[in-house]
Amino acid sequence: MVSGPVGAQDKEGIYIISVIGGTIHKIRDDAYSASISADGSQVVFLEHGAKEIWEMTPDGEAAHQVAPRADEVARYSLPTWSPDGKRFSYLEFRQSAGNFAVTLLSRAAAGGDPVTVLDNPNLREFIYMPGNQILFKLRETNPNPEDANLWQIRVDPATGKPDGQPRRLTDWSGFSFDWLSASADGKKLAFLNDPGQSDVMIGQLEKNGKALISPTRLTLSDRIDWPGSWTRDGKSVLFYSDRGGRFDVYRQTLDERTAQPLSTTPEEKRMPQLSPDGDWIVYISWPVTKDLSAPAEGHVMRMPAGGGPPVPVFGVKGYAVSDAPGSVTHNLLGFPDFRCPSRPGEPCVLAEQDDAKKQIVFTAFDPAAGKKNVVATVPLPVDEWTLSPDGSRIATTSYSFQQSIIHVIPTNGGQARDITVKDWIRLISLTWAADGNSLFASSDSSRGSTLLHIEMNGDAQPLLRNGDDFF
């Protein structure tokens, strides 16, 4: 039995492959992460964007949901049968207001409430081992959040509850321990080592944005680099990077191999963008806490584009995270966040998550004067968003295995519209074209990402694809 993405568009499904002749038989659509019990009688799997866990027989019959649907800020991962087939365990990820929680839960196959095996924000993967043991990996904390190590805990096979304290097995550096797999006797372990890194790339657009020529790497560090925006003359890129140990803001011209740091203050800084009038570089900063935990609030900051000390514009609540700590994309997205249009005289827009009302609140602001007024609210989930160059429209989308829909919301309170992206799913980034008449996005897949040019009618043209991920 295999499960996961298949075909040109990575459609999820669960399949039986015959060991004699290699014939493939699909037993369920839009399902993945399947685990078959040791006696081969039952299968647990994920559905509906990792929001639901289901169970069925190996021939696809008697399918039923076995865990409550996850709410707007949660998702499930790795449903796995215990060796005796009487229980299954899974991870629950919860992300809210800058906090990232991970819990390993265990449920009886016969039903009932789950029990907590582990509760640790650095927990990522687990597998069952002989002797009622669970092997799992924990990400390390700062200053080495990219590293992970292996731990083990004994559980009661009848109740699923932990039987003792976790025990560290490795204390290594430079390992990620991805895709754990153990031999049947538990004496050998296979895993993937995949240290994360990101770079800022540049390329020349031609044919009205429908062709990308000569994409090249701009940043040359071996750390995490994420783009912010272009300077007004198009000769430099503003970006943020952890090359100095924490995220800071930088500027690099297209013909240079090194970047210029823009600020030397000790805060964490992200998303540098040029203000609409070109006078300021605007970014979000957060204090670095003593225990390296997520700070409760930060500030939108501005500094003169020509150089000078930064000053706060206003405070923001929460800490933006888009993935688990230690992931290369941990500090890429999330809320609070902001965008500035390129048209002079138009306001920038701040996006904040309101957990109580389960929505994203978009507020216009002037980098010199502070907050102005709420221009839109959008129900959760919102995974990606962008502001049009003239500041008149906000576009949002959510990661989906079924269909990609881009919601376009006018900032003046006008009628919203939806764009259904044809033939592409799993969008992981979104931005407007310079003329505001189309969009660019990346589509995630098991073979890497595809950079897309998307017309307002939903037609999508691939610009670049290979084994890397594009954001």
Side-chain angles (χ1 to χ4, degrees):
M1 176 175 289
V2 297
S3 66
V6 172
Q9 298 302 323
D10 263 13
K11 296 295 290 183
E12 301 284 351
I14 300 176
Y15 303 82
I16 296 292
I17 301 178
S18 172
V19 295
I20 303 174
T23 57
I24 300 177
H25 173 61
K26 181 191 290 185
I27 60 174
R28 193 166 181 89
D29 280 317
D30 300 320
Y32 53 102
S33 195
S35 172
I36 190 166
S37 59
D39 64 2
S41 65
Q42 295 294 321
V43 180
V44 288
F45 56 94
L46 296 177
E47 278 206 354
H48 299 105
K51 293 289 188 179
E52 297 178 2
I53 301 177
W54 285 59
E55 181 182 343
M56 67 179 178
T57 58
D59 58 2
E61 299 297 323
H64 60 284
Q65 190 173 333
V66 291
R69 181 176 174 84
D71 60 27
E72 292 84 355
V73 297
R75 61 182 173 86
Y76 298 133
S77 179
L78 297 176
T80 306
W81 284 104
S82 62
D84 61 9
K86 294 180 179 180
R87 306 189 66 88
F88 65 91
S89 297
Y90 56 96
L91 296 177
E92 180 187 69
F93 293 85
R94 300 187 66 85
Q95 180 178 321
S96 177
N99 296 313
F100 197 90
V102 186
T103 308
L104 174 58
L105 299 167
S106 174
R107 283 182 178 271
D113 294 331
V115 299
T116 298
V117 181
L118 293 166
D119 190 356
N120 190 315
N122 297 314
L123 176 62
R124 293 299 174 269
E125 292 184 32
F126 74 97
I127 55 174
Y128 279 97
M129 301 288 285
N132 302 319
Q133 300 276 0
I134 291 180
L135 179 74
F136 61 96
K137 82 168 188 179
L138 292 181
R139 283 283 186 181
E140 298 295 329
T141 56
N142 285 344
N144 301 304
E146 299 88 358
D147 292 347
N149 273 288
L150 296 178
W151 294 66
Q152 197 170 48
I153 188 170
R154 183 183 296 274
V155 294
D156 185 317
T159 66
K161 294 180 179 180
D163 182 14
Q165 296 299 312
R167 180 170 64 93
R168 179 189 280 266
L169 299 182
T170 65
D171 191 7
W172 301 354
S173 62
F175 285 85
S176 61
F177 291 105
D178 297 322
W179 300 103
L180 300 173
S181 177
S183 59
D185 60 7
K187 295 182 178 180
K188 294 181 180 180
L189 182 72
F191 61 88
L192 177 68
N193 193 36
D194 184 19
Q197 179 192 345
S198 63
D199 296 297
V200 177
M201 307 287 291
I202 58 173
Q204 183 71 35
L205 286 170
E206 295 187 355
K207 298 180 181 179
N208 294 321
K210 296 181 180 180
L212 180 66
I213 307 300
S214 303
T216 57
R217 180 178 172 183
L218 177 67
T219 56
L220 302 176
S221 77
D222 59 358
R223 301 293 295 179
I224 297 174
D225 303 318
W226 293 118
S229 71
W230 290 88
T231 55
R232 188 60 55 84
D233 60 9
K235 296 181 179 180
S236 301
V237 173
L238 305 176
F239 68 96
Y240 61 107
S241 172
D242 69 345
R243 61 184 63 190
R246 64 176 179 274
F247 280 99
D248 240 317
V249 291
Y250 296 82
R251 173 167 43 202
Q252 184 170 336
T253 62
L254 304 188
D255 56 359
E256 290 182 327
R257 295 177 60 86
T258 57
Q260 171 192 355
L262 299 178
S263 174
T264 57
T265 57
E267 299 85 8
E268 177 185 344
K269 312 172 191 72
R270 293 193 232 158
M271 286 304 295
Q273 298 175 52
L274 202 64
S275 63
D277 58 14
D279 293 340
W280 306 98
I281 293 174
V282 189
Y283 60 91
I284 294 185
S285 74
W286 289 273
V288 178
T289 58
K290 290 183 179 180
D291 61 356
L292 302 177
S293 61
E297 58 185 25
H299 283 86
V300 172
M301 306 288 293
R302 71 172 187 265
M303 61 188 302
V311 296
V313 181
F314 52 78
V316 291
K317 294 182 179 180
Y319 179 72
V321 296
S322 57
D323 206 342
S327 166
V328 68
T329 57
H330 174 64
N331 305 89
L332 173 59
L333 300 168
F335 301 99
D337 193 12
F338 78 97
R339 299 288 185 273
C340 287
S342 56
R343 176 180 288 182
E346 297 298 326
C348 301
V349 172
L350 172 73
E352 298 175 286
Q353 183 166 322
D354 184 336
D355 289 325
K357 296 184 179 180
K358 299 181 179 180
Q359 63 183 11
I360 301 298
V361 180
F362 295 95
T363 304
F365 72 91
D366 184 318
K371 284 189 179 181
K372 285 188 175 180
N373 59 296
V374 173
V375 295
T377 58
V378 178
L380 294 174
V382 174
D383 294 322
E384 312 287 341
W385 78 280
T386 184
L387 180 67
S388 62
D390 63 1
S392 67
R393 291 161 294 166
I394 294 168
T396 71
T397 192
S398 298
Y399 189 87
S400 173
F401 286 96
Q402 280 75 46
Q403 189 177 53
S404 289
I405 299 176
I406 299 172
H407 308 285
V408 180
I409 306 104
T411 55
N412 64 0
Q415 182 65 40
R417 62 168 294 190
D418 288 346
I419 302 171
T420 300
V421 182
K422 300 172 184 176
D423 300 324
W424 294 90
I425 57 175
R426 297 165 63 175
L427 299 186
I428 56 173
S429 64
L430 188 67
T431 192
W432 288 92
D435 60 8
N437 293 325
S438 58
L439 297 114
F440 296 99
S442 295
S443 174
D444 183 31
S445 80
S446 61
R447 297 174 296 278
S449 299
T450 300
L451 184 61
L452 304 172
H453 176 260
I454 302 173
E455 302 283 0
M456 300 303 285
N457 65 0
D459 289 340
Q461 173 69 37
L463 301 179
L464 179 66
R465 67 176 103 196
N466 58 30
D468 297 322
D469 289 329
F470 304 118
F471 297 89

